[in-house]
């Protein structure tokens, strides 16, 4: 019957009509349910409750082929077949050539795989395994609640979903939540009757549950204060004559659970009615949480594409606030007892091996795509021990198959999780959670010294799509190198990456210099900000000329602190060159020298923050700063400056995304007059935040669009762009990236740090890691640069570096050019010998040969072996000295 109904849909000759759910706000559950049913009636088929036989088999199949045989093929495209189960709303994809399969729910999730201590998989965990959606939401009291699609949609006696065909796939229109019905669930039950007819009739386990959900209330209880007694008697007048078991505040799911327990006892509807009369409790009609959410599964170019059109999500927005949606948590999950690993784009990339031996005690890792949203919290600094997720991707490898998931839409609203197995379930998975509307809960202490919690909830709902593309990999491509290669192909196909051509004879050396700073000083007893020059334009040219004389002819210079007050800059609504550094004439002369000698020149500008705020400029914090969820202005402090809190004098004023258009227009109007071919917009590749201003709210996805629109206007076809970090949305525009991560966050769950970003970018975008002379271990960072094909990068100043003492800039303690000059020359020449011929070569392989020994392979066959050990090692007959590397052509 199930297959026949699906085939009716697929064979329907009528034109394809997609469900059109109204976009109006504030609908209640009954209206949502009625409109969905009316719209579905055109060409949708209802989901079917499983038969007893199907239910017995669900989650207990012996093989993937057996599970596939119980499903119906709904699409075929690109060498893949898409299957669907109309009883459980589960999908599967078959690779026709290899026979490998990927399931939205593991086909054997109910089986016991324990080989050591027994792991009991709870019913809640099994429900999660069977769910393609998990919601986090808040009720009118801002209590955080959760629901999943299996418990709140699929497993109902009458399943609350319909299915429709779409191109090369299927759409599931789901209703998650409670369709209201009268329940035999007393809000207050007379104590003697409840003990005799309910509690005494239950087993120990169920009795404990009932006592968890009900409180015994008596006005004779000396522990109750007079205020509490008065409040209770107001709600339950019958307490004057009787003691009652009073139901605590519980979720809809818990209400159904309690009702099922009570139904096992002698408690009847007559008892329920009598308790209502005795207690005097008047039931207030409460809103019902019911969420209507469509989910689309389709095949496209051999990939599985999963999509939620967020603008079609419907629920009662007056009573509830949807916070986030977890999409396909267990799609492609691997069995923890098999060989495999999870890939997370943490920093340069990290692998988390399957928890086969149960040695991993932490369940999750989680991080926000493109870094934290600094407007959520006003904590004055943006710093974290965690590395950033620059790429909106994740992956999973199990035996001879793998996938790479690419978040195509809603990426700026996403968090990426890894979940290790052998803890709650026997399965290893990585997945995305999407923000629908941002929420934040805070602790407070009011004027009466009462402590409490308050939840801020943004009402600027995301209205785009949440779309994930799963690229399915088999055989020799089923590993992290294959994941990187398929992501590289994806970026090339979409016009983001282009192979480097006409590369210089030698590898580029990246330099960063600092123009001027301000430091507190006194004169005649008066305090003032003294301007200190660290590197004038003329001195910067001298440094370049000196290095060129030493044979280093491929140079890229980023110049910080050159405009609008130096490092203590005002908002970037103009480009006012610092006169003390040489003014516009000095900058133009430096630019002419750079052009004549094929040196990349990138003056740096910051559109996100301002260090100083002068009267009569175009920035007023109360007007132009993004607002936090609590409607405060957002202020920031650089993480580097947290190293010297004693002299922390300055904060960064932050700029609302609403001001990007105006400020960039003003800046580039001035900047283009300088005729500089390059520009550095450093933190455009590391920072992305929203604005929670009620009058002009901007989501992170909208902020991303504002940035890329301006990059299209001012960069594409006009200038070379240097960025930091490498968030995915800047890759298309970046000619050079510095501060590309060379490590991961070193999570306790992580097993290997890998050069995933480098595998994707090498041969397409020139990049460098962090400044070598600011590292705590110069030797290791140079070896890491060799392993990762990362160009060398130094931060330098010509003089006055001693002035950094007793300032927030003391982290720049080691940037004196004369001190580092010979080290730069020696290290560059050694590095250049290896990489001069590899600049435009793709990185095609990377592997761990043995402990602390790694090999990187390029498309021309060159292999670079790096030994991090304190002793020599021999690899394939070749000796690699301690803390050194060898090159095999």
């Amino acid at each position: 019957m199930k297959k026949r109904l699906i085939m009716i849909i697929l064979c329907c000759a009528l034109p394809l009509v997609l469900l059109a759910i109204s976009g109006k706000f504030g609908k209640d559950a009954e209206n949502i349910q009625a409109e969905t049913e009316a719209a579905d009636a055109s060409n949708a088929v209802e989901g079917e409750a499983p038969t007893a036989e199907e239910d017995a088999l669900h989650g207990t199949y012996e093989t993937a082929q057996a599970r596939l045989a119980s499903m119906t093929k709904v699409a075929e495209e690109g060498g893949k077949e898409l299957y669907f189960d109309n009883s459980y709303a589960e999908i599967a994809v078959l690779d026709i050539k290899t026979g490998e399969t990927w399931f939205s729910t593991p086909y054997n999730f109910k089986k016991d795989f324990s080989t050591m201590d027994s792991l009991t998989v709870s019913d809640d965990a099994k429900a999660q395994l069977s769910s393609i959606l998990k919601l986090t939401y808040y009720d009118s009291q801002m209590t955080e609640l959760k629901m999943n699609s299996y418990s709140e949609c699929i497993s109902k006696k009458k399943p609350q979903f319909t299915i429709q065909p779409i191109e090369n796939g299927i759409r599931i229109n789901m209703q998650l939540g409670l369709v209201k019905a009268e329940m035999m669930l007393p809000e207050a039950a007379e104590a003697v009757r409840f003990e005799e007819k309910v509690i005494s009739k239950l087993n120990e386990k169920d009795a404990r549950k009932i006592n968890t959900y009900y409180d015994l209330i008596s006005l004779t209880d000396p522990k109750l204060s007079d205020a509490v007694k008065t409040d209770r008697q107001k709600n339950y007048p019958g307490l004057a004559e009787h003691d009652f078991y009073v139901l605590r505040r519980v979720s809809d799911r818990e209400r159904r659970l309690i009702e099922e327990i009570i139904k096992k006892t002698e408690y009847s509807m007559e008892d329920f009615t009598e308790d209502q009369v005795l207690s005097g409790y008047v039931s207030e009609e409460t809103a019902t949480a019911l969420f209507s959410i469509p989910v689309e599964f389709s095949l496209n170019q051999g990939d599985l594409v999963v999509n939620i059109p967020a603008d079609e999500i419907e629920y009662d927005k007056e009573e509830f606030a949807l916070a986030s949606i977890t999409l396909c948590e267990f799609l492609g999950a691997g069995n923890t007892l098999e060989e495999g690993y999870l890939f997370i784009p943490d920093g340069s990339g990290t692998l988390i091996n399957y928890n086969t031996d149960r040695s991993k005690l932490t369940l999750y890792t989680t991080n926000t795509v493109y870094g934290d949203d600094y407007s959520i919290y006003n904590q004055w600094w943006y710093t974290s021990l965690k590395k950033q997720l620059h790429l909106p991707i994740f992956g999973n490898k199990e035996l001879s198959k793998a996938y790479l998931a690419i978040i195509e839409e809603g990426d700026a609203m996403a968090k990426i999780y890894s979940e290790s197995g052998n803890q709650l379930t026997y399965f290893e998975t990585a997945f995305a959670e999407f923000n629908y509307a941002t929420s934040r809960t805070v602790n407070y202490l009011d004027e009466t010294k009462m402590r409490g919690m308050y939840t801020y909830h943004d009402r600027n709902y995301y209205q785009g799509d949440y779309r994930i593309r799963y690229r399915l990999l088999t055989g020799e491509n089923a590993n992290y190198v294959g994941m990187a290669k398929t992501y590289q192909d994806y970026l090339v196909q979409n016009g983001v990456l282009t192979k480097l051509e006409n590369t210089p004879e030698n590898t580029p050396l990246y330099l960063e210099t600092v123009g001027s700073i301000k430091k507190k000083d006194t004169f005649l007893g008066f305090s003032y900000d003294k301007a200190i020059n660290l590197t004038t334009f003329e001195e910067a040219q001298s440094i370049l000329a000196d290095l060129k004389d030493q044979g280093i002819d491929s140079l890229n210079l980023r110049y910080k602190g050159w405009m609008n007050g130096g490092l203590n800059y005002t908002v970037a609504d103009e480009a006012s060159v610092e006169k003390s550094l040489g003014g516009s004439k000095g900058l133009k002369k430096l630019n002419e020298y750079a052009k004549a000698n094929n040196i990349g020149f990138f003056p740096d500008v910051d559109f996100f923050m301002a260090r100083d705020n002068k009267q009569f400029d175009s920035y007023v914090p109360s007007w132009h700063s993004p607002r936090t969820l609590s409607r405060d202005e957002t202020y920031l402090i650089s993480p580097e400056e947290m190293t010297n809190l004693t002299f922390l004098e300055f904060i960064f004023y932050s700029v609302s995304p609403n001001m990007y258009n105006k400020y960039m227009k003003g800046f580039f109007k001035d900047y283009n007059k300088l005729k500089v071919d390059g520009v550095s917009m450093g933190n455009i590749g590391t920072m992305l935040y929203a604005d929670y201003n009620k009058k002009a709210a901007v989501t992170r996805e909208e902020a991303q669009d504002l940035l890329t629109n301006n990059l299209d206007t001012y960069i594409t076809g006009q200038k070379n762009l240097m960025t930091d970090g490498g968030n995915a949305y800047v890759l298309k525009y970046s000619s050079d990236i510095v501060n590309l991560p060379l490590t991961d966050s070193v999570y306790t769950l992580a097993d290997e740090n890998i050069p995933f970003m480098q595998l994707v970018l090498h041969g397409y975008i020139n990049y460098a890691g962090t400044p070598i002379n600011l590292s705590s271990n110069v030797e290791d960072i140079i070896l890491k640069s060799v392993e990762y094909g990362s160009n060398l990068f130094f931060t330098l100043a010509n003089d006055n570096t001693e002035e950094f003492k007793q300032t927030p800039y003391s982290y720049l303690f080691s940037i004196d050019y004369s001190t580092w000059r010979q080290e730069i020359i020696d290290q560059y020449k050694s590095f250049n010998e290896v990489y001069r011929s590899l600049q435009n070569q793709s990185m095609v392989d990377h592997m761990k040969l043995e402990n602390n020994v790694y090999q990187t392979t390029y498309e021309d066959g060159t292999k670079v072996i790096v030994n991090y050990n304190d002793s020599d090692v021999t690899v394939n007959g070749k000796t690699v000295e301690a803390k050194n590397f060898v090159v095999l052509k």
Side-chain angles (χ1 to χ4, degrees), residues 79-80 94-100 474:
K80 305 295 194 301
L94 169 69
D95 184 298
I96 299 172
K97 183 178 179 180
T98 66
E100 296 284 7
T474 60

Side-chain angles (χ1 to χ4, degrees), residues 82-100:
L82 178 64
Y83 289 79
F84 182 68
D85 186 315
N86 192 34
S87 294
Y88 296 99
E90 295 174 5
I91 64 100
V93 180
L94 169 69
D95 184 298
I96 299 172
K97 183 178 179 180
T98 66
E100 296 284 7

